[in-house]
Coordinates of all heavy atoms in Angstrom, one line a residue:
S1 N -43.6 -220.9 26.9 CA -43.3 -219.8 27.7 C -42.8 -218.6 27.0 O -43.2 -217.5 27.3 CB -42.3 -220.2 28.8 OG -42.1 -219.1 29.7
L2 N -42.0 -218.8 26.0 CA -41.5 -217.7 25.2 C -42.6 -217.0 24.4 O -42.5 -215.9 24.0 CB -40.4 -218.2 24.2 CG -39.1 -218.6 24.9 CD1 -38.1 -219.2 23.9 CD2 -38.5 -217.5 25.7
L3 N -43.7 -217.7 24.1 CA -44.8 -217.1 23.4 C -45.7 -216.3 24.4 O -46.7 -215.7 23.9 CB -45.6 -218.2 22.7 CG -44.9 -219.0 21.6 CD1 -45.8 -220.1 21.1 CD2 -44.5 -218.1 20.5
G4 N -45.4 -216.4 25.7 CA -46.2 -215.7 26.7 C -47.4 -216.4 27.2 O -48.3 -215.9 27.9
D5 N -47.6 -217.7 26.8 CA -48.7 -218.5 27.2 C -48.6 -219.0 28.6 O -49.7 -219.2 29.2 CB -48.9 -219.7 26.2 CG -49.1 -219.3 24.8 OD1 -49.7 -218.2 24.6 OD2 -48.8 -220.0 23.9
A6 N -47.4 -219.2 29.1 CA -47.3 -219.7 30.5 C -45.9 -219.4 31.0 O -45.0 -219.1 30.3 CB -47.4 -221.2 30.5
D7 N -45.8 -219.4 32.3 CA -44.5 -219.2 33.0 C -43.7 -220.6 32.9 O -44.3 -221.6 32.6 CB -44.6 -218.8 34.4 CG -45.0 -217.4 34.6 OD1 -44.8 -216.6 33.6 OD2 -45.5 -217.0 35.7
I8 N -42.4 -220.5 33.1 CA -41.6 -221.7 33.1 C -40.8 -221.7 34.4 O -40.5 -220.6 34.9 CB -40.7 -221.8 31.9 CG1 -39.9 -223.1 31.8 CG2 -39.7 -220.6 31.9 CD1 -39.2 -223.3 30.5
D9 N -40.6 -222.8 35.0 CA -39.8 -222.9 36.2 C -38.3 -223.1 35.8 O -37.9 -224.1 35.3 CB -40.3 -224.1 37.1 CG -39.5 -224.2 38.4 OD1 -38.9 -223.2 38.8 OD2 -39.5 -225.3 38.9
V10 N -37.5 -222.0 36.0 CA -36.1 -222.1 35.7 C -35.4 -222.3 36.9 O -35.3 -221.5 37.8 CB -35.7 -220.7 35.0 CG1 -34.2 -220.8 34.7 CG2 -36.5 -220.4 33.8
P11 N -34.8 -223.5 37.1 CA -34.1 -223.9 38.3 C -32.7 -223.2 38.3 O -31.7 -223.9 38.0 CB -34.0 -225.4 38.2 CG -34.0 -225.7 36.8 CD -34.8 -224.6 36.1
C12 N -32.6 -222.0 38.7 CA -31.3 -221.2 38.6 C -30.3 -221.8 39.6 O -29.1 -221.7 39.4 CB -31.6 -219.8 39.0 SG -32.6 -218.9 37.8
G13 N -30.8 -222.3 40.7 CA -29.9 -222.8 41.8 C -29.0 -221.7 42.2 O -29.5 -220.6 42.6
T14 N -27.7 -221.9 42.2 CA -26.7 -220.9 42.6 C -26.2 -220.1 41.4 O -25.3 -219.2 41.6 CB -25.6 -221.5 43.4 OG1 -24.9 -222.5 42.6 CG2 -26.1 -222.2 44.7
C15 N -26.7 -220.4 40.2 CA -26.2 -219.6 39.1 C -26.7 -218.2 39.1 O -27.9 -217.9 39.2 CB -26.6 -220.3 37.8 SG -26.1 -219.5 36.3
T16 N -25.8 -217.2 38.8 CA -26.1 -215.8 38.8 C -25.6 -215.2 37.5 O -25.4 -214.0 37.4 CB -25.6 -215.0 40.0 OG1 -24.2 -215.2 40.0 CG2 -26.2 -215.6 41.3
A17 N -25.4 -216.0 36.5 CA -24.8 -215.6 35.2 C -25.6 -214.4 34.6 O -25.0 -213.4 34.2 CB -24.6 -216.7 34.2
C18 N -26.9 -214.6 34.5 CA -27.6 -213.5 33.8 C -27.8 -212.3 34.8 O -28.0 -211.2 34.3 CB -29.0 -214.0 33.3 SG -30.0 -214.8 34.5
C19 N -27.6 -212.5 36.1 CA -27.7 -211.4 37.0 C -26.5 -210.5 37.1 O -26.5 -209.5 37.7 CB -28.0 -212.0 38.4 SG -29.3 -213.1 38.6
T20 N -25.4 -211.0 36.4 CA -24.1 -210.3 36.5 C -23.6 -210.0 35.1 O -22.4 -209.8 34.9 CB -23.1 -211.2 37.3 OG1 -22.9 -212.4 36.6 CG2 -23.5 -211.4 38.7
S21 N -24.5 -210.0 34.1 CA -24.0 -209.8 32.7 C -24.4 -208.5 32.1 O -24.4 -208.3 30.9 CB -24.6 -210.9 31.9 OG -26.0 -210.9 31.9
S22 N -24.5 -207.4 32.9 CA -24.8 -206.1 32.4 C -26.0 -206.0 31.4 O -25.9 -205.3 30.4 CB -23.5 -205.5 31.7 OG -22.4 -205.5 32.6
Q23 N -27.0 -206.7 31.8 CA -28.2 -206.7 30.9 C -29.3 -205.8 31.6 O -29.5 -205.9 32.8 CB -28.8 -208.1 30.7 CG -27.8 -209.0 29.9 CD -28.5 -210.3 29.7 OE1 -29.7 -210.4 29.4 NE2 -27.7 -211.4 29.7
F24 N -30.1 -205.1 30.8 CA -31.3 -204.4 31.2 C -32.4 -205.5 31.2 O -32.5 -206.3 30.3 CB -31.7 -203.3 30.3 CG -30.7 -202.1 30.4 CD1 -29.7 -201.9 29.5 CD2 -30.9 -201.2 31.5 CE1 -28.9 -200.8 29.6 CE2 -30.0 -200.1 31.6 CZ -29.0 -199.9 30.6
V25 N -33.2 -205.5 32.3 CA -34.3 -206.4 32.4 C -35.6 -205.7 32.2 O -35.9 -204.8 32.9 CB -34.3 -207.1 33.8 CG1 -35.5 -208.0 34.0 CG2 -33.0 -207.8 34.1
H26 N -36.3 -206.2 31.1 CA -37.6 -205.6 30.8 C -38.7 -206.1 31.7 O -38.8 -207.3 32.0 CB -37.9 -206.0 29.3 CG -39.2 -205.6 28.9 ND1 -40.1 -206.4 28.1 CD2 -39.9 -204.4 29.0 CE1 -41.2 -205.7 27.8 NE2 -41.1 -204.5 28.4
I27 N -39.5 -205.2 32.2 CA -40.6 -205.5 33.1 C -41.9 -204.9 32.4 O -41.9 -203.7 32.2 CB -40.4 -204.9 34.5 CG1 -39.1 -205.4 35.1 CG2 -41.6 -205.3 35.4 CD1 -38.8 -204.8 36.5
E28 N -42.8 -205.7 32.1 CA -44.0 -205.3 31.5 C -45.1 -204.7 32.5 O -45.0 -205.1 33.6 CB -44.6 -206.4 30.7 CG -43.7 -206.9 29.5 CD -44.3 -208.0 28.7 OE1 -45.5 -207.8 28.2 OE2 -43.7 -209.0 28.5
P29 N -46.0 -203.9 32.0 CA -46.9 -203.2 32.9 C -47.8 -204.2 33.7 O -48.3 -203.9 34.8 CB -47.8 -202.4 32.0 CG -47.0 -202.3 30.7 CD -46.1 -203.4 30.6
D30 N -48.1 -205.4 33.1 CA -48.9 -206.4 33.8 C -48.3 -207.2 34.9 O -48.9 -207.9 35.6 CB -49.6 -207.3 32.8 CG -48.6 -208.3 32.2 OD1 -47.4 -207.9 32.1 OD2 -49.0 -209.4 31.7
E31 N -47.0 -206.9 35.1 CA -46.2 -207.6 36.2 C -46.3 -206.9 37.5 O -45.3 -206.4 38.1 CB -44.8 -207.8 35.7 CG -44.6 -208.6 34.5 CD -43.2 -208.8 34.1 OE1 -42.5 -209.6 34.8 OE2 -42.7 -208.2 33.1
A32 N -47.5 -206.8 38.0 CA -47.8 -206.0 39.2 C -47.0 -206.5 40.4 O -46.5 -205.7 41.2 CB -49.3 -206.0 39.5
D33 N -46.9 -207.8 40.6 CA -46.2 -208.4 41.7 C -44.7 -208.0 41.7 O -44.1 -207.6 42.7 CB -46.4 -209.9 41.7 CG -45.7 -210.5 43.0 OD1 -46.0 -210.1 44.1 OD2 -44.8 -211.4 42.8
T34 N -44.1 -208.1 40.5 CA -42.7 -207.8 40.3 C -42.5 -206.3 40.6 O -41.6 -205.9 41.4 CB -42.2 -208.1 38.9 OG1 -42.2 -209.5 38.8 CG2 -40.8 -207.6 38.7
L35 N -43.4 -205.4 40.0 CA -43.3 -204.0 40.2 C -43.4 -203.6 41.6 O -42.7 -202.6 42.1 CB -44.3 -203.3 39.3 CG -44.0 -203.4 37.8 CD1 -45.3 -202.9 37.0 CD2 -42.8 -202.6 37.4
A36 N -44.2 -204.3 42.4 CA -44.3 -204.0 43.8 C -43.1 -204.3 44.6 O -42.9 -203.8 45.7 CB -45.5 -204.8 44.4
H37 N -42.2 -205.2 44.1 CA -41.0 -205.6 44.8 C -39.7 -204.9 44.3 O -38.6 -205.2 44.8 CB -40.9 -207.1 44.8 CG -41.9 -207.8 45.6 ND1 -43.1 -208.1 45.2 CD2 -41.8 -208.2 46.9 CE1 -43.8 -208.6 46.2 NE2 -43.0 -208.7 47.2
V38 N -39.8 -204.2 43.2 CA -38.6 -203.5 42.7 C -38.8 -202.0 43.0 O -39.8 -201.4 42.5 CB -38.5 -203.7 41.1 CG1 -37.4 -202.8 40.6 CG2 -38.3 -205.1 40.8
P39 N -37.9 -201.4 43.7 CA -38.1 -200.0 44.1 C -38.2 -199.1 42.8 O -37.5 -199.3 41.8 CB -36.8 -199.6 44.8 CG -36.3 -201.0 45.4 CD -36.7 -202.0 44.3
A40 N -39.1 -198.1 42.9 CA -39.3 -197.2 41.7 C -38.0 -196.5 41.3 O -37.8 -196.3 40.1 CB -40.4 -196.2 42.1
A41 N -37.1 -196.2 42.2 CA -35.9 -195.6 41.8 C -35.0 -196.4 40.9 O -34.1 -195.9 40.3 CB -35.1 -195.2 43.1
L42 N -35.2 -197.7 40.9 CA -34.4 -198.6 40.0 C -35.1 -198.9 38.7 O -34.5 -199.6 37.9 CB -34.2 -199.9 40.8 CG -33.5 -199.8 42.1 CD1 -33.4 -201.2 42.8 CD2 -32.1 -199.3 41.9
R43 N -36.3 -198.4 38.5 CA -37.0 -198.7 37.2 C -36.9 -197.4 36.3 O -37.1 -196.3 36.8 CB -38.5 -199.0 37.5 CG -38.7 -200.1 38.4 CD -40.1 -200.5 38.6 NE -41.0 -199.4 39.0 CZ -41.7 -199.4 40.1 NH1 -41.7 -200.4 40.9 NH2 -42.5 -198.3 40.3
F44 N -36.7 -197.7 35.0 CA -36.6 -196.6 34.0 C -37.5 -196.9 32.8 O -37.7 -198.1 32.5 CB -35.2 -196.5 33.5 CG -34.2 -196.2 34.7 CD1 -33.6 -197.3 35.3 CD2 -34.0 -195.0 35.2 CE1 -32.7 -197.1 36.4 CE2 -33.1 -194.7 36.2 CZ -32.5 -195.8 36.8
A45 N -38.1 -195.9 32.2 CA -38.9 -196.1 31.1 C -38.2 -196.9 30.0 O -37.0 -196.6 29.7 CB -39.4 -194.8 30.5
A46 N -38.8 -197.9 29.4 CA -38.2 -198.7 28.4 C -38.2 -198.0 27.1 O -39.3 -197.6 26.6 CB -38.9 -200.1 28.3
P47 N -37.0 -197.7 26.5 CA -37.0 -197.0 25.2 C -37.7 -197.7 24.1 O -37.6 -198.9 23.9 CB -35.5 -196.9 24.9 CG -34.8 -197.3 26.1 CD -35.7 -198.1 27.0
G48 N -38.5 -196.9 23.4 CA -39.2 -197.5 22.2 C -40.4 -198.3 22.5 O -41.1 -198.9 21.6
L49 N -40.8 -198.5 23.8 CA -42.0 -199.2 24.2 C -43.0 -198.3 24.7 O -42.7 -197.2 25.2 CB -41.6 -200.3 25.2 CG -40.7 -201.4 24.6 CD1 -40.3 -202.4 25.7 CD2 -41.4 -202.2 23.5
P50 N -44.3 -198.8 24.7 CA -45.4 -197.9 25.3 C -45.2 -197.6 26.8 O -44.5 -198.3 27.5 CB -46.6 -198.8 25.1 CG -46.3 -199.8 24.0 CD -44.8 -200.0 24.2
K51 N -45.9 -196.6 27.2 CA -45.8 -196.2 28.6 C -46.2 -197.4 29.5 O -47.1 -198.2 29.2 CB -46.8 -195.0 28.8 CG -46.8 -194.5 30.2 CD -47.7 -193.3 30.4 CE -47.7 -192.8 31.8 NZ -48.5 -191.7 32.0
G52 N -45.5 -197.5 30.6 CA -45.7 -198.5 31.5 C -44.7 -199.7 31.5 O -44.5 -200.4 32.4
H53 N -44.0 -199.8 30.3 CA -43.0 -200.7 30.2 C -41.7 -200.1 30.8 O -41.4 -199.0 30.5 CB -42.7 -201.1 28.7 CG -43.8 -201.9 28.1 ND1 -43.6 -203.2 27.9 CD2 -45.0 -201.6 27.6 CE1 -44.7 -203.7 27.4 NE2 -45.6 -202.7 27.2
V54 N -41.0 -200.8 31.6 CA -39.8 -200.3 32.3 C -38.7 -201.3 32.1 O -38.9 -202.5 31.8 CB -40.1 -200.0 33.8 CG1 -41.1 -198.9 33.9 CG2 -40.5 -201.2 34.5
V55 N -37.5 -200.8 32.4 CA -36.3 -201.7 32.5 C -35.7 -201.5 33.9 O -35.7 -200.4 34.5 CB -35.3 -201.4 31.4 CG1 -35.8 -201.9 30.0 CG2 -34.8 -200.0 31.4
L56 N -35.1 -202.6 34.3 CA -34.3 -202.6 35.6 C -32.9 -202.6 35.1 O -32.5 -203.5 34.3 CB -34.6 -203.8 36.4 CG -33.8 -204.1 37.6 CD1 -34.0 -203.0 38.6 CD2 -34.3 -205.4 38.2
G57 N -32.1 -201.6 35.5 CA -30.7 -201.5 35.1 C -29.8 -202.4 35.9 O -30.2 -203.3 36.5
Y58 N -28.5 -202.0 35.9 CA -27.5 -202.8 36.6 C -26.5 -201.8 37.2 O -26.5 -200.6 36.8 CB -26.8 -203.7 35.6 CG -26.3 -203.1 34.3 CD1 -25.1 -202.5 34.2 CD2 -27.1 -203.2 33.2 CE1 -24.6 -202.0 33.0 CE2 -26.7 -202.6 32.0 CZ -25.5 -202.0 31.9 OH -25.1 -201.5 30.7
D59 N -25.7 -202.3 38.2 CA -24.8 -201.4 38.9 C -23.5 -201.2 38.1 O -23.4 -201.7 37.0 CB -24.6 -201.9 40.3 CG -23.8 -203.2 40.4 OD1 -23.2 -203.6 39.4 OD2 -23.8 -203.7 41.5
E60 N -22.6 -200.5 38.7 CA -21.3 -200.2 38.0 C -20.5 -201.5 37.8 O -19.5 -201.4 37.0 CB -20.5 -199.2 38.8 CG -20.0 -199.7 40.2 CD -21.1 -199.5 41.3 OE1 -22.2 -199.1 41.0 OE2 -20.8 -199.8 42.5
H61 N -20.8 -202.6 38.4 CA -20.1 -203.8 38.1 C -20.9 -204.8 37.2 O -20.5 -205.9 37.0 CB -19.8 -204.5 39.5 CG -19.1 -203.7 40.4 ND1 -17.7 -203.4 40.3 CD2 -19.5 -203.1 41.5 CE1 -17.3 -202.6 41.2 NE2 -18.4 -202.4 42.0
G62 N -22.0 -204.3 36.6 CA -22.8 -205.1 35.7 C -23.8 -206.0 36.4 O -24.3 -206.9 35.8
R63 N -24.0 -205.9 37.7 CA -24.9 -206.7 38.4 C -26.2 -206.1 38.6 O -26.4 -204.9 38.8 CB -24.3 -207.0 39.8 CG -23.0 -207.8 39.8 CD -22.5 -208.0 41.2 NE -22.2 -206.7 41.8 CZ -21.1 -206.4 42.5 NH1 -20.2 -207.3 42.6 NH2 -20.9 -205.2 43.0
C64 N -27.2 -207.0 38.6 CA -28.6 -206.5 38.9 C -28.6 -206.0 40.3 O -28.1 -206.6 41.2 CB -29.5 -207.7 38.7 SG -31.2 -207.4 39.2
P65 N -29.3 -204.8 40.5 CA -29.3 -204.3 41.8 C -30.2 -205.1 42.8 O -30.1 -204.9 44.0 CB -30.0 -202.9 41.7 CG -30.7 -203.0 40.4 CD -30.0 -204.0 39.5
M66 N -30.9 -206.1 42.3 CA -31.7 -207.0 43.2 C -30.9 -208.2 43.6 O -31.3 -209.0 44.4 CB -33.0 -207.4 42.5 CG -33.9 -206.3 42.0 SD -34.1 -204.9 43.1 CE -35.1 -205.8 44.4
L67 N -29.6 -208.3 43.1 CA -28.7 -209.4 43.5 C -28.1 -209.0 44.8 O -27.3 -208.0 44.9 CB -27.7 -209.6 42.4 CG -26.8 -210.8 42.6 CD1 -27.6 -212.1 42.5 CD2 -25.7 -210.8 41.6
V68 N -28.4 -209.6 45.9 CA -27.9 -209.3 47.2 C -27.2 -210.5 47.8 O -27.8 -211.6 47.9 CB -29.1 -208.8 48.1 CG1 -28.6 -208.5 49.5 CG2 -29.7 -207.6 47.5
D69 N -26.0 -210.3 48.3 CA -25.2 -211.4 48.9 C -25.2 -212.7 47.9 O -25.3 -213.8 48.4 CB -25.8 -211.8 50.2 CG -25.6 -210.7 51.3 OD1 -24.7 -209.9 51.2 OD2 -26.5 -210.6 52.2
G70 N -25.1 -212.4 46.7 CA -24.9 -213.5 45.7 C -26.2 -214.2 45.3 O -26.1 -215.3 44.6
A71 N -27.3 -213.7 45.7 CA -28.6 -214.3 45.4 C -29.7 -213.3 45.0 O -29.6 -212.1 45.5 CB -29.1 -215.2 46.5
C72 N -30.6 -213.7 44.3 CA -31.7 -212.8 43.9 C -32.6 -212.5 45.1 O -33.2 -213.4 45.7 CB -32.6 -213.4 42.8 SG -34.0 -212.3 42.3
S73 N -32.7 -211.2 45.5 CA -33.5 -210.8 46.7 C -35.0 -210.8 46.4 O -35.7 -210.7 47.4 CB -33.0 -209.4 47.2 OG -33.3 -208.5 46.2
I74 N -35.4 -210.9 45.2 CA -36.8 -211.0 44.8 C -37.1 -212.2 44.0 O -38.1 -212.2 43.2 CB -37.3 -209.7 44.1 CG1 -36.5 -209.5 42.8 CG2 -37.1 -208.5 45.0 CD1 -37.1 -208.5 41.8
Y75 N -36.4 -213.3 44.2 CA -36.5 -214.5 43.4 C -38.0 -214.9 43.2 O -38.4 -215.2 42.0 CB -35.7 -215.6 43.9 CG -35.6 -216.8 43.0 CD1 -34.7 -216.8 41.9 CD2 -36.4 -217.9 43.2 CE1 -34.7 -217.9 41.1 CE2 -36.4 -219.0 42.3 CZ -35.5 -219.0 41.3 OH -35.4 -220.0 40.4
E76 N -38.7 -215.0 44.2 CA -40.1 -215.4 44.1 C -41.0 -214.4 43.3 O -42.1 -214.7 42.9 CB -40.7 -215.8 45.4 CG -40.1 -217.0 46.1 CD -40.2 -218.2 45.3 OE1 -41.3 -218.5 44.7 OE2 -39.2 -219.0 45.2
H77 N -40.5 -213.2 43.2 CA -41.2 -212.1 42.5 C -40.5 -211.6 41.3 O -40.8 -210.5 40.8 CB -41.5 -211.0 43.6 CG -42.0 -211.5 44.8 ND1 -43.3 -211.8 45.0 CD2 -41.4 -211.7 46.0 CE1 -43.5 -212.2 46.3 NE2 -42.3 -212.2 46.9
R78 N -39.5 -212.3 40.8 CA -38.6 -211.8 39.7 C -39.4 -211.6 38.5 O -40.5 -212.2 38.2 CB -37.5 -212.8 39.5 CG -37.9 -214.1 38.9 CD -36.7 -215.1 39.1 NE -37.0 -216.4 38.5 CZ -37.7 -217.4 39.0 NH1 -38.4 -217.2 40.2 NH2 -37.9 -218.5 38.4
P79 N -38.9 -210.7 37.6 CA -39.6 -210.3 36.4 C -39.7 -211.6 35.4 O -39.0 -212.5 35.5 CB -38.6 -209.3 35.7 CG -37.9 -208.7 36.8 CD -37.7 -209.9 37.8
R80 N -40.7 -211.5 34.6 CA -41.0 -212.5 33.6 C -39.7 -212.8 32.7 O -39.4 -213.9 32.4 CB -42.1 -212.1 32.7 CG -42.6 -213.2 31.7 CD -43.8 -212.7 30.9 NE -44.9 -212.5 31.8 CZ -45.6 -211.3 31.8 NH1 -45.3 -210.3 31.0 NH2 -46.6 -211.1 32.6
T81 N -39.0 -211.7 32.4 CA -37.8 -211.8 31.6 C -36.8 -212.8 32.3 O -36.2 -213.7 31.6 CB -37.1 -210.5 31.4 OG1 -38.0 -209.6 30.7 CG2 -35.8 -210.6 30.7
C82 N -36.6 -212.7 33.6 CA -35.8 -213.6 34.3 C -36.3 -215.0 34.4 O -35.5 -216.0 34.3 CB -35.6 -213.0 35.8 SG -34.9 -211.4 35.8
R83 N -37.6 -215.1 34.5 CA -38.2 -216.4 34.5 C -38.1 -217.2 33.2 O -38.0 -218.4 33.2 CB -39.7 -216.3 34.9 CG -40.0 -215.8 36.3 CD -41.5 -215.6 36.5 NE -41.7 -214.9 37.8 CZ -41.8 -215.6 38.9 NH1 -41.8 -216.9 38.9 NH2 -42.0 -214.9 40.0
T84 N -38.0 -216.5 32.1 CA -37.9 -217.2 30.8 C -36.6 -217.2 30.2 O -36.4 -217.9 29.2 CB -38.9 -216.5 29.8 OG1 -38.6 -215.2 29.7 CG2 -40.4 -216.7 30.3
Y85 N -35.6 -216.5 30.8 CA -34.3 -216.3 30.2 C -33.6 -217.7 30.1 O -33.4 -218.5 30.7 CB -33.5 -215.3 30.9 CG -32.1 -215.1 30.3 CD1 -32.0 -214.4 29.1 CD2 -31.0 -215.6 30.9 CE1 -30.8 -214.2 28.5 CE2 -29.7 -215.4 30.3 CZ -29.6 -214.7 29.1 OH -28.4 -214.5 28.6

């Protein structure tokens, strides 16, 4: 999965450690499903990467803005970065 050959099923369960760790989440241009579920206002051009690569930031508490009521609000559509982390 880390080589980009396939997705991996990460059984996050109730763990939100990576969702609350003040990390920028990289979203690649080919992730159309994810991009359709992340509001444009939350996406920013990824520094040093070609056009179309974006990052999803975090809020003032270090949480992913897609984390709602303690769970990922786009879990079935989450970025590849989240799927492989």
Side-chain angles (χ1 to χ4, degrees):
S1 180
L2 292 175
L3 296 175
D5 297 335
D7 283 340
I8 187 169
D9 181 22
V10 180
C12 297
T14 60
C15 179
T16 60
C18 54
C19 307
T20 59
S21 60
S22 302
Q23 295 185 38
F24 288 99
V25 176
H26 177 221
I27 304 172
E28 296 185 51
D30 68 336
E31 296 182 72
D33 183 54
T34 295
L35 292 168
H37 288 86
V38 175
L42 299 177
R43 302 185 309 238
F44 303 93
L49 293 175
K51 184 178 179 175
H53 288 259
V54 297
V55 292
L56 173 61
Y58 48 88
D59 69 13
E60 65 275 6
H61 303 288
R63 294 180 298 230
C64 173
M66 305 313 294
L67 187 66
V68 177
D69 295 329
C72 180
S73 63
I74 60 165
Y75 189 79
E76 294 301 318
H77 312 281
R78 68 197 184 280
R80 185 177 299 125
T81 297
C82 302
R83 293 174 186 274
T84 59
Y85 182 72

